Amino acid sequence: MARKKKELPLFENVGITDVAAEGNAIARVNDMVVFIPFGAPGDIADIKIDRKKHSYAEGHIDKMVTPSPMRVEPMCEHFGVCGGCRWQHLPYSFQIECKQKQVKDALERIAKIEIPEISPILGSEKTREYRNKMEYTFSNRCWLTFEQLRSGVDFPDRDAAGFHIPGAFDKVLDIKKCHLQDDFGNRLRLFIKQFGKDHGYSFYDLRAQEGLLRTLMIRIASTGEIMAVMVFGRDDKEKITALLDAVKEQFPEITSLLYVINTKMNDTIADQQILVHSGRDHIVEEMEGLKFRVGPKSFYQTNSLQALTLYRVARDFADLKGDELVYDLYTGTGTIANFVARNARKVIGIEYVEDAIADARVNSAINNISNTEFFAGDMKDVLTDSFIETHGRPDVMIVDPPRAGMHGDVVKVILNARPGRIVYVSCNPATQARDLALLDAEYRVEKVQPVDMFPHTHHVENVVLLKAR
């Protein structure tokens, strides 16, 4: 006989006191820490425990008794369901205060090294419509909210164009309006959805892995250029052409209208052929007069305005006089490398993705930058002692690794290369703090500058300057 699952408790009149680094709010019940999504310091609420561990628990607000005076009205009707923008209910001034604290806590608690006073975080000028890239999924079985399920109403039309519900690959929330990108993105997504419904197009079945309308990516550059990449689940030339022709006619401002026929099991298009329906195969971003070619597979910081702020901080920390050899590790499409090249003797960029390195070389060429050189390969395999012997010992290293931080072997090579200065750009202060501890024997932290790239989320970028001891 199966054991009955133990009912987890409901705690009444719990005071929420703080916000955690992962974005959840914190309460303490009987000496137990409880993590609660969508809470605000000052809330008094009944908390239902969903999961209990030895040292902590996870729960949700079952009933709000007294909302915090700090709370603000979320801008989005999908807040709390779609999974994104989890801090819309918090004032932006408090959001960046939390991010500043997150950086400080990570460096003190994880790195456990001597750090200078952390500079005040640089907030984002735009807190709405700040993203230059959005991706949407089409589904024939939209996610029904608890309110819809409890209503008893039948929902025969389940076609959706929106976002995956967190932790559920086959659940898609239909989005009416997203505030993260210029409203053009909403108009285009809703047009394609309605065209598909009006003309009998099948929306993708994520379980059966079949259907015509699959995903849509929209990129809007700071230059005003627009890219739309429509991904289809099968090859149906007549219907594909009809839809793309309609999009082209309705939205003549699209400068790059592309499509992909993806019949494999996952949504990534990194290994897929990109086909041009109309316009160019890329759009152009601009930063301080430099032009950056952005293709459908290119990485480019998704907050264009704040990317300029971030790169200016990195360049200022590098303190280039014009005669330095700079290594730019995890260079991506060479944005930082090309951004600092005019201030250096030479910049060498290294990146794992070969397509990105191809873009980096193009970006140097279109800007008439001749003092850059780029190499593709796994960082720990390319950046070896012999590589440094061949290409020169760097005066400055700029590193911008993924969220996982730097591989231990890369840290060792950096220590052996012993550049005079290291500028460490990170999207994860926790792994950055771990790496700083590994570098501490040879380098001291001179400056720390957090930068907010993603308002209404708990994510924060942090730039650290290290100097050789």
Side-chain angles (χ1 to χ4, degrees), residues 400-414:
D400 186 4
R403 288 190 62 79
M406 294 192 292
H407 190 281
D409 290 346
V410 177
V411 174
K412 289 177 184 176
V413 174
I414 291 175

Side-chain angles (χ1 to χ4, degrees), residues 325-329 383 388 394-399 413-414 417-424:
L325 173 61
V326 179
Y327 278 23
D328 181 29
L329 311 189
L383 187 66
I388 290 170
D395 301 295
V396 178
M397 270 194 181
I398 300 174
V399 300
V413 174
I414 291 175
R418 199 164 170 75
R421 294 186 297 284
I422 300 171
V423 180
Y424 190 150

Side-chain angles (χ1 to χ4, degrees), residues 229 258-260 269-270 272-276 281 296-297:
V229 184
L258 314 176
Y259 69 102
V260 177
I269 62 170
Q272 298 291 289
Q273 182 183 11
I274 310 293
L275 303 167
V276 178
D281 64 353
K297 300 178 184 180

